[in-house]
Amino acid sequence: MIESLKTLNEQRASVKSEMNAKEKEMRKLWNNLFHKEPQTLRESLSPTHRALSMLSSSTAVIDGLLLGWKLYRRFGRKRR
């Protein structure tokens, strides 16, 4: 019985060390995924990608403005 307790404690210690190693690895991966060093837009994208990004953003803003205008015309006016 004593030897079985010793083997259980040894297994427990080895599993705990494996868990700690995996946890460190997961933390490293998590930090690499979400905490990257900030890069400016100019460094990270080519001129074509920057132009497409600006076009996409502009399109979204214009779409939002048109939606706001349509909703205002439909619900915002006082009815006669």
Side-chain angles (χ1 to χ4, degrees), residues 1-26:
M1 180 153 177
I2 292 176
E3 286 187 28
S4 65
L5 288 177
K6 284 183 184 178
T7 57
L8 284 176
N9 283 333
E10 289 173 1
Q11 287 178 351
R12 180 177 170 224
S14 68
V15 167
K16 191 171 186 176
S17 66
E18 287 177 22
M19 284 175 49
N20 287 337
K22 289 289 185 181
E23 184 177 355
K24 286 180 183 178
E25 183 181 346
M26 287 173 54

Side-chain angles (χ1 to χ4, degrees), residues 10-55:
E10 289 173 1
Q11 287 178 351
R12 180 177 170 224
S14 68
V15 167
K16 191 171 186 176
S17 66
E18 287 177 22
M19 284 175 49
N20 287 337
K22 289 289 185 181
E23 184 177 355
K24 286 180 183 178
E25 183 181 346
M26 287 173 54
R27 281 187 184 164
K28 183 179 174 185
L29 290 172
W30 181 266
N31 285 333
N32 287 341
L33 184 62
F34 290 107
H35 299 265
K36 291 183 180 178
E37 293 181 15
Q39 292 181 341
T40 61
L41 186 62
R42 183 168 287 182
E43 293 173 351
S44 63
L45 297 176
S46 69
T48 306
H49 285 119
R50 276 186 282 154
L52 289 175
S53 175
M54 200 159 88
L55 180 67

Side-chain angles (χ1 to χ4, degrees), residues 63-79:
D63 187 44
L65 290 173
L66 287 174
L67 175 65
W69 176 250
K70 287 178 182 179
L71 290 174
Y72 170 76
R73 286 182 55 201
R74 180 161 184 148
F75 299 111
R77 288 187 189 176
K78 292 181 181 178
R79 303 268 172 161

